Amino acid sequence: MLTSQQILQEAKDLSGYMTGLRRDIHAHPELGRQETRTQALILRELAAMGIEARPCAGTGVLGVIRGGKAGRTIGLRADIDALPVQEETGLPFASQNPGVMHACGHDLHTASLLGAARLLAAHREELCGTVKLFFQPDEEGDGGAQRMVDEGCLENPHVDAVFGGHNSTGTQAGQYGLKYGPCYAASNSFTVTVRGKGCHGAYPGSGIDPIAVAAQIVVALQTLTSRRVYATDNVVVTVGAFHAGTAGNIIPAEAQFKGIIRTFGPEMRRRMCEMFRTLVEGVAASMGAEAEVCLVESYPGVVNHEGMSALAEQAMVKLVGRDNVLIQREPNMGTEDFGAFMNQLTIPGCYCDFGFGDGQRECRFPAHGCHYRANEEGLAYAAALFVQVCLDFFEAGDAL
Ligand code: NI
């Protein structure tokens, strides 16, 4: 079986291949649900490796590498979509699509998973299990991961664990970052419409003021995070828009506000949404008004599985040594749809950081910005980790 040294060496030998693909994808970025060129590129590369693959969730790709020996199945995920950003890096392989850029580095994810696939396919006979490749569309939009799950990517064969990661320029190439437990928050958005009774502003007694009611609700919502959960629970409720009225002397009939709820894990998510609804409707009713609550479930967030995280950490240590594995303490209140592949936490999964930094020289700009740049040396390390995690997962057998 491959040693960690061999894996890293073979991944480095594939650096030129991955860099070429990455630059090609970077020059031709596509927004979510429109990744047709990227999809064709992935299908072409997998076909050349002799890996069976098919389109999935519209513009995504599902690939399967069946090992020479029987065993369990692991899913590896890379998102493939770009962002509506006008690139300003001046790089020779900068975006040729005006207003679209791989500003979140999903081109790096795609290229490194293709590199990992090539490495795994070259050792197919030695593999004791099956590797599924999830090239997922539309991460930045409204959830390509869930659409792949809905199309059955977790079955036939059933996926026993999932693994993926995001590029980070705050972490150096040759390093990895890992957060045990809560990693990315689950996201819900809400719209609340408070209905009162409009009237002349001089005679509030003849109406019911929805602005006063909605304002009380917004204040009361602060107690959800400060009084109803523990300080360590990592919950956010934000009201980001509040609209009502047309003139200073008219009490309107309606007020509306919108916002987001961020939580970790399905149980806290359910509880917060329930408390939110109860509080909003209760405060409105207590003041003679009515509130219509519209709660929309967005991404489920990522809560890393303990055993799978430990396995990933060991894989990282084997490849780059203890000093280059950064264990993170704080979860990210941002969101990421990788969690959909963990299927309500019924499938053990781990999502980590792949180092793509260069010591803050060229690569010091934030993701989602027009100057974002990454250190391509990170490609080999990302690919090597995909491979090492697979092999270690197969070796662990039912122990995980
Ligand atoms: Ni991203």
Side-chain angles (χ1 to χ4, degrees):
M1 192 33 87
L2 282 166
T3 66
S4 302
Q5 295 308 315
Q6 287 170 322
I7 291 171
L8 195 54
Q9 189 54 54
E10 291 193 25
K12 285 181 177 172
D13 293 343
L14 288 169
S15 279
Y17 168 72
M18 289 187 282
T19 303
L21 287 178
R22 184 264 165 157
R23 293 184 178 191
D24 184 349
I25 297 166
H26 191 89
H28 304 93
E30 295 168 304
L31 297 175
R33 292 179 184 262
Q34 299 171 24
E35 308 97 326
T36 50
R37 184 185 186 279
T38 312
Q39 180 186 50
L41 180 151
I42 295 164
L43 287 168
R44 180 193 75 208
E45 291 304 314
L46 294 179
M49 298 170 201
I51 295 173
E52 61 180 90
R54 63 170 172 87
C56 188
T59 45
V61 174
L62 173 61
V64 184
I65 306 171
R66 292 176 208 278
K69 301 170 192 133
R72 296 195 301 165
T73 299
I74 186 168
L76 305 179
R77 180 273 208 158
D79 41 11
I80 68 172
D81 58 324
L83 284 161
V85 171
Q86 178 63 44
E87 180 159 357
E88 305 285 350
T89 60
L91 288 166
F93 53 91
S95 171
Q96 295 173 18
N97 295 350
V100 185
M101 175 186 175
H102 267 294
C104 199
H106 297 181
D107 51 339
L108 303 162
H109 306 165
T110 308
S112 57
L113 186 55
L114 283 168
R118 192 162 152 180
L119 205 165
L120 286 162
H123 295 276
R124 189 193 315 251
E125 289 313 312
E126 302 158 54
L127 297 181
C128 307
T130 301
V131 181
K132 279 182 156 179
L133 307 166
F134 302 149
F135 290 96
Q136 180 213 308
D138 200 22
E139 192 278 329
E140 304 285 0
D142 64 353
Q146 188 58 51
R147 293 204 297 281
M148 287 191 79
V149 171
D150 292 343
E151 284 194 20
C153 74
L154 297 176
E155 300 305 327
N156 298 316
H158 176 74
V159 170
D160 299 299
V162 287
F163 177 73
H166 205 286
N167 71 93
S168 161
T169 51
T171 306
Q172 306 317 305
Q175 295 185 324
Y176 305 111
L178 177 65
K179 168 75 179 66
Y180 277 80
C183 187
Y184 284 86
S187 178
N188 286 67
S189 61
F190 58 79
T191 301
V192 173
T193 308
V194 177
R195 298 204 171 87
K197 187 175 170 221
C199 63
H200 193 298
Y203 311 105
S206 63
I208 291 172
D209 182 354
I211 296 180
V213 176
Q216 289 289 345
I217 296 173
V218 172
V219 172
L221 283 174
Q222 312 309 311
T223 63
L224 286 183
T225 51
S226 67
R227 305 290 92 181
R228 302 297 302 276
V229 296
Y230 291 97
T232 47
D233 275 333
N234 299 308
V235 176
V236 171
V237 178
T238 290
V239 174
F242 190 117
H243 299 287
T246 52
N249 62 353
I250 303 171
I251 290 176
E254 264 185 32
Q256 192 178 68
F257 59 88
K258 298 179 183 208
I260 53 165
I261 300 174
R262 294 282 162 97
T263 52
F264 288 96
E267 175 53 25
M268 181 57 81
R269 186 184 209 187
R270 190 196 56 73
R271 249 188 80 205
M272 278 305 292
C273 289
E274 201 178 284
M275 289 195 294
F276 177 89
R277 186 180 291 278
T278 305
L279 183 142
V280 169
E281 291 174 351
V283 172
S286 75
M287 299 177 74
E290 234 176 59
E292 185 190 318
V293 177
C294 177
L295 267 168
V296 177
E297 234 178 51
S298 181
Y299 292 171
V302 180
V303 178
N304 279 334
H305 180 268
E306 181 79 20
M308 198 59 196
S309 303
L311 185 144
E313 183 185 353
Q314 281 311 308
M316 293 171 180
V317 170
K318 285 184 202 172
L319 290 167
V320 296
R322 168 64 57 196
D323 290 348
N324 290 312
V325 178
L326 314 175
I327 301 297
Q328 294 148 3
R329 302 287 163 211
E330 301 303 324
N332 189 330
M333 297 312 296
T335 196
E336 154 63 59
D337 77 345
F338 173 82
F341 294 113
M342 294 162 77
N343 208 15
Q344 303 287 324
L345 303 186
T346 57
I347 296 178
C350 178
Y351 194 72
C352 71
D353 276 352
F354 299 130
F356 275 90
D358 66 349
Q360 299 290 299
R361 292 191 296 275
E362 304 287 336
C363 311
R364 61 185 183 280
F365 304 101
H368 288 220
C370 60
H371 297 291
Y372 188 64
R373 292 174 69 159
N375 179 358
E376 289 169 329
E377 282 174 34
L379 288 166
Y381 291 93
L385 185 58
F386 275 126
V387 173
Q388 186 75 58
V389 166
C390 284
L391 300 190
D392 290 357
F393 179 72
F394 294 149
E395 196 174 319
D398 292 334
L400 189 88

